[in-house]
Amino acid sequence: MTLWNYYHTPASVDEALELLRSYAGKARVIAGGTDLLLDIRQGHLPPPEALIDITRIGELCDLHQDGDWLVLGAGVTHTRIVSTDLIAARATCLVESCGVVGGPQVRNVGTLGGNVAHALPAGDGTTSLVALDAEAEVILDGERRWYPIRELFVGPGMSLLDPTRDLLIRFRFKLSGPYEATAFKRIMRPQGVALPILGCAAWVRLDESGEYYADVRLCIGPVDRVPVRAEAVEAALCGQPVGSDAVERAIQAAHEGLHPRTSRYRATAEYRDEMIDVLLRRVLPLAAERAQTGQAVPEGVGIE
Amino acid sequence: MSKLTLTVNDQTYDLDVPESRTLAQVLRYDLGLTGTKIGCEEAECGICTVLVDGVPVDSCIYPAFKAQGAAVTTIEGLAHNGELHPLQKAFVEHGAVQCGFCTPGLIMTSVALLRGNPDPDDHDIKVALKDTYCRCTGYTSVINAIHSAASELRGEGAQPWCSVATVEPLKAVGRAVPPPETVDKVTGRARFTDDYIFPGMLYGRTLRAAYPHARILSIDTSKAKALPGVLAVLTHEDVPGENIHGLVYSDWPALAADKVRYMGDPVAVVAAETPDLAAQALALIEVEYEPLPVVADPEYARTPEAPHVHEEWPDGNLLKHIKVRHGDIEQGFAGSDVIVEHEYRTPTIEHAFMEPECAIGVPAGYDDEHAKLTIYVGSQIPYSDRQQTARALGLPEDAIRVRGTLIGGGFGGKEDIAGQIHVAMLAQTTGRPVKMLYTRQESLLFHPKRHATIIRIKTGAKRDGTLVAVQAELYGDGGAYASLSDKVMTRATTHATGPYVVPNAKIDCYVMYTNNPPSGAFRGFGVTQSAFAVEQNMDMVAEAIGMDPVEFRLKNAQKVGETTATGQLLRESVGLLETLERVNTSMRGADAGFQWGWREGGKAYGWGVASAYKNTGLGGGAPDRAVAEVEVFPNSIAEVRTSSADMGQGLTAVLAQITAEELGLPVSAVRVLLSDTDLTPDGGPTTASRQTYVSGNAARYAASTMRDALRAVAAERMSVPPDQIVFEDGCVRYNGSSVALGEVVGWMQEEGLEAKARYQYDAPKTQPLGTGGDMHFAFSYATQAALVEVDLETGAVKVLKVVAANDVGRAINPRTLEGQVEGGIAMGLGNCLTEEYIIEDGVPWSTLFARYKIPSIKHTPQIVSHLVEHPTADGPYGAKGVGEITSINTTPAICNAIYHATGVRIYRIPVDQDALLRALKAGEAEVRTTWHDVK
């Protein structure tokens, strides 16, 4: 089956936008294509007339530090993220999550931008971007502006971006500083589709004693149609001393606030509830320890 | 068309190709580099991996124009000036190649790994190859091969293959020689069916049913026929002969006529100039259906209200009731001190051979090479293909030639007809060659699978540990067509006592027609399912009487002189006790504090043991024969010919070794020709672990007949007593003088004799079930112990180690045999932990590879293998079957281990971590549901 007819590799954002305009809704943006082409091949999307490959646009392949911020082009592959030492040290959860997406062949071409644009409620990279409080620069209906990452998610598999018109340019987020750190873990099953039963990314800032949670951002998913922050859990942790009591408080708050569903081929709600406990017990102490020591070595990259 | 510039294997190409091409398509179809294989087109299996600027990518979903200007490396680019890359050499040396279809992907992924990491550890290898599947090897040999190649690339020399201990080898038999086609499989030269292209070739596609059960009211092909570029659209009305096929029962229409019985039923076939046009034509065929109620499970199928899948079948949906009666079951249980009774369920399991089905039909008279209608196909039973195709086409069998190509894995899934009849019809209709390649998704939908079963089994024993009685009731989901259901479920039934002495047995099995995909042959052939139930009941009985599980098995094990529940006296070659003892010793190690289960941190650990036996050969009274032909040429090269199939298991090596041994030739001087109905005599089906034994014997006797003929001529010419001539090193020798074998061939030819011998080997006669006597001429025995780790927080199960001992009679080729052991364990592990083909009301959910997980390299446990060699008198050099026995007891061993680790019994596979955790939390002692049973 012919999945597309024309393939363009524009060198600039303007050229890409012009191409999209010229196809008037009949062309789609492609980055790695590891989700998109399967969707077309499996009949979830009609074959577009043309694919506009954004991975040769300099701006979208850019990865650089800007003061305390990291700027990450939407066309940067998972592999490049995982092998960037700066991200491993100061946005560890992103390496831990991008490092378990697919296998090496998929990570070598699949991009974080593509993952976000695909808008799965529990994409591993997305979960971490939410905990990192990342922003995304997009060109939406011709207008370039920054959005909080969560605003790109409209529904399951539904993005704010129109893939026949709009472009996701890049992400930015603050790298963790002193007393700050992140961690990501997920729970999988060996059968069926390789999507997480539940994933969890945490960003923590401890106070200067290193003994208390000063600020926490937590994303656990899927618990909703779109990725969400576990705000009640975050609140329950703030001001608490680091340790198992805090984790148990977090777990209690999570059970009050988060209500994961049963999904037939993934997990029961009951199991997911249990996994909230497990993930919080695994992720929070790890993030806190990293924040205390200032050392972070990503765990589970490649195989959890 | 736009210009695509690529540098492929150091050669730059400017190509005019459609922009819609994937990289795999450009490599395979535009550049003819067919070493790159396509396995799923879902970015799941990784076997299409090539390097783009040094980076491994899945070429099947990589747009070719994405690689514009890039340097691409494929499997064909690794060897330089005929010198294999160290990885290619290591894959051959370490037995990391079986069917060879995934080999290019594995090697290319490994090339990238070693470029970035010259000294990877096991974890690094598992990370790199996590998404590059292999269904045959079980990955252990792959890991070893990569370590070896890394060592060579570092300048530290390749690592040798470590042989498992065997009896003293002969000159050729017992040696670890690679099958002759192995080098072609590591270089990409090996050709599978889709790698063949003929001028003027058309592309076929199949329209499949829209419902699992429906009456066909009308089929309108006119719009499809009118599409330019479409050369044929055929329905049941166009079947020239009888519209029926089937392996045991003829119940499967070549093209559905009055109704469809499962979602994979073929309704129409088309041939068109391009695959795209063929697909478009399918969409234009209009079929009007009247949907019928669906028979979705075998228990329902047996109820009076269930509609009949085959109205004409006299027994309703009952395909067969199979019975074993032995002793007096009432008395048996009356005399039992302990009785354990449980119900077990096993799901439908998919073969997931890496090469989807492909067949090419070339019409009669197409060219000099194709005077006859010719079918190219990778099939486990070429002569049966010919017979079934001839019947459907209304042709005499000898008007058709089936030419076997290499087979990218079979495991029982390439015994039934797939596209053979369709391509023959389309080729004859259009007068042009027609290729029919199934997509992975079509393969998942269409071919017969492992039977889902429900097994209720009751085991009785005395307090002293003597087994007294087994009663069992089995339901097998036969699916829409009989395929090999009768035989498979007979095996499940007769083996439902386990490999033990059971004086009283009553076993009933009901094989039912349903509207699910047909069930047929699959490695283990029914015994995989019954062993899951039998071996857990054995452990429970042992526990109830307070006996060690190994001791309990040792006490009841079949031995020479005992009789099976089908009335067969075991006269020889019963190595079960030794397999138990070897595994037991290995499992317990030197540590006096051995425990079956323990906890450490948040993990529970447990060992579990299971034994099994499996017949070699067809048995049950079926004549089991193979014919082989051996010819020696004046250049001292011999050729052995039989139609038996090599689907990666290493039969070619076995036949070459046996022929070499008998003729005193080096193995490299023996060619093997398989699977050609015009050039090779009938070797029978490649099933039932029978080829080493049956075709091996045919080759052996053909070769020894050849040797005797050569001896007679040589004796006369050399004027020496025939019995003093020695055949060795490619020569005939007498008292210090030596003549090349080829020279003796010349002498024969001078006398007008052909240096060719043909032998029909008939295996020892067997008896049908229920008549007593020998149902089988040999059994293989095995014991496995599995060590598992259960995460008490998540319920996740990991197999850390498997200790296996297999009684194989005689190891003809220890390296390919180890490949069967390691691959069998991996398949057993998948059967237990990762795999289930889900069907809902007749409609498969498992329609994608993404929804059906086979074990990847990350699941690979440490394997300790022991070979036990209790020779069987009639087997070649004592050998018996090994292909299936290696896989059967892995699942129950893992489940027994989970019990020892957690106290929870698994009555339903695959093991569901969700249900296991919930059972642990609730303090329940059993799991009866699996991962999709939730509402």
Side-chain angles (χ1 to χ4, degrees), chain B residues 2 34 176 222 265 332 418 422 424 437 439 448 462 496 524 552 616 626 710 899 933:
Chain B
S2 295
T34 53
S222 54
D265 245 337
H422 297 156
L437 169 67
T439 61
K462 287 189 185 300
F552 182 53
T616 298
L710 290 163
Y899 175 76
D933 285 338

Side-chain angles (χ1 to χ4, degrees), chain B residues 613-688:
Chain B
Y613 73 140
K614 175 74 184 61
N615 58 292
T616 298
L618 305 174
D624 202 345
R625 74 169 57 103
V627 187
E629 203 169 71
V630 168
E631 183 168 2
V632 188
F633 301 98
N635 58 359
S636 296
I637 297 284
E639 184 170 84
V640 54
R641 299 187 277 263
T642 178
S643 78
S644 316
D646 192 317
M647 43 191 162
Q649 80 275 34
L651 179 67
T652 52
V654 165
L655 295 177
Q657 286 173 270
I658 289 174
T659 306
E661 190 71 50
E662 294 298 322
L663 290 172
L665 283 168
V667 179
S668 59
V670 181
R671 293 197 306 249
V672 182
L673 182 67
L674 299 180
S675 301
D676 185 323
T677 56
D678 270 19
L679 300 181
T680 65
D682 193 354
T686 299
T687 190

Side-chain angles (χ1 to χ4, degrees), chain B residues 527-683:
Chain B
V527 187
T528 308
Q529 293 95 314
S530 49
F532 167 62
V534 169
E535 290 297 305
Q536 290 206 83
N537 258 31
M538 285 294 286
D539 259 33
M540 282 186 262
V541 173
E543 187 181 6
I545 57 178
M547 206 165 179
D548 179 89
V550 175
E551 198 190 328
F552 182 53
R553 286 178 173 81
L554 285 167
K555 186 172 173 68
N556 294 288
Q558 290 181 357
K559 307 175 190 62
V560 172
E562 300 284 3
T563 303
T564 69
T566 65
Q568 174 162 1
L569 174 66
L570 300 166
R571 294 181 198 85
E572 49 137 26
S573 189
V574 184
L576 177 59
L577 283 176
E578 193 181 337
T579 67
L580 270 159
E581 282 155 3
R582 299 275 288 269
V583 166
N584 198 32
T585 307
S586 202
M587 172 182 73
R588 288 172 200 258
D591 182 7
F594 173 81
Q595 285 178 288
W596 285 100
W598 69 96
R599 292 192 179 194
E600 220 174 283
K603 307 276 172 64
Y605 297 86
W607 279 101
V609 166
S611 295
Y613 73 140
K614 175 74 184 61
N615 58 292
T616 298
L618 305 174
D624 202 345
R625 74 169 57 103
V627 187
E629 203 169 71
V630 168
E631 183 168 2
V632 188
F633 301 98
N635 58 359
S636 296
I637 297 284
E639 184 170 84
V640 54
R641 299 187 277 263
T642 178
S643 78
S644 316
D646 192 317
M647 43 191 162
Q649 80 275 34
L651 179 67
T652 52
V654 165
L655 295 177
Q657 286 173 270
I658 289 174
T659 306
E661 190 71 50
E662 294 298 322
L663 290 172
L665 283 168
V667 179
S668 59
V670 181
R671 293 197 306 249
V672 182
L673 182 67
L674 299 180
S675 301
D676 185 323
T677 56
D678 270 19
L679 300 181
T680 65
D682 193 354

Side-chain angles (χ1 to χ4, degrees), chain A residues 2 7 31 188 264-265 271, chain B residues 19 66 276 794 840 913 932:
Chain A
T2 301
Y7 199 89
M188 298 291 284
R264 179 100 194 262
Y265 302 106
Y271 185 76
Chain B
E19 291 177 33
K66 198 176 189 48
D276 271 1
T794 64
E840 295 171 325
Q913 68 195 45
H932 60 94

Side-chain angles (χ1 to χ4, degrees), chain A residues 1-9 23 30-35 37-38 41-42 44 49-51 53-56 79 99-111 186-195 197 262-272 274-275 277-279 281-282 300-304, chain B residues 18-22 25 41-44 46 49 55-58 60-70 105 109 123 126-132 205 275-276 279 441 603 791 793-796 833-835 838 840 845 848 850-853 858-859 910-915 917-918 921 930-935:
Chain A
M1 189 177 76
T2 301
L3 305 182
W4 65 89
N5 286 322
Y6 299 100
Y7 199 89
H8 299 277
T9 42
Y23 278 100
I30 181 173
T34 51
D35 278 328
L37 298 184
L38 299 186
R41 191 169 263 156
Q42 290 161 18
H44 307 306
E49 181 66 5
L51 293 175
D53 183 334
I54 51 81
T55 58
R56 295 195 184 199
T79 297
V100 292
V101 170
Q105 293 96 322
V106 165
R107 293 195 294 273
N108 285 340
V109 290
T111 65
R186 66 176 190 175
I187 305 291
M188 298 291 284
R189 67 157 60 247
Q191 307 93 358
V193 179
L195 289 172
I197 287 175
T262 290
S263 26
R264 179 100 194 262
Y265 302 106
R266 306 256 292 279
T268 58
E270 201 182 338
Y271 185 76
R272 279 186 163 143
E274 289 283 350
M275 292 309 103
D277 301 20
V278 172
L279 285 170
R281 288 196 188 111
R282 289 178 181 183
V301 169
I303 298 176
E304 297 113 296
Chain B
E19 291 177 33
S20 57
R21 284 278 205 264
T22 63
Q25 288 167 340
E41 296 188 294
E42 294 181 32
E44 285 289 324
T49 299
V55 173
V57 305
D58 290 321
C60 75
I61 59 150
Y62 197 91
F65 279 75
K66 198 176 189 48
Q68 181 74 267
T109 316
H123 178 79
K126 288 181 175 183
V127 167
L129 272 69
K130 176 186 157 277
D131 273 8
T132 311
R205 286 291 298 265
D276 271 1
Q441 299 71 37
K603 307 276 172 64
D791 185 326
E793 290 181 335
T794 64
L833 297 181
T834 72
E835 301 180 35
I838 298 173
E840 295 171 325
W845 178 81
L848 300 168
R851 292 178 169 188
Y852 191 91
K853 288 283 182 292
K858 74 174 180 185
H859 295 101
V911 180
D912 178 17
Q913 68 195 45
D914 186 326
L917 185 78
R918 283 182 284 127
K921 294 273 172 190
T930 191
W931 61 293
H932 60 94
D933 285 338
V934 295
K935 296 287 172 273

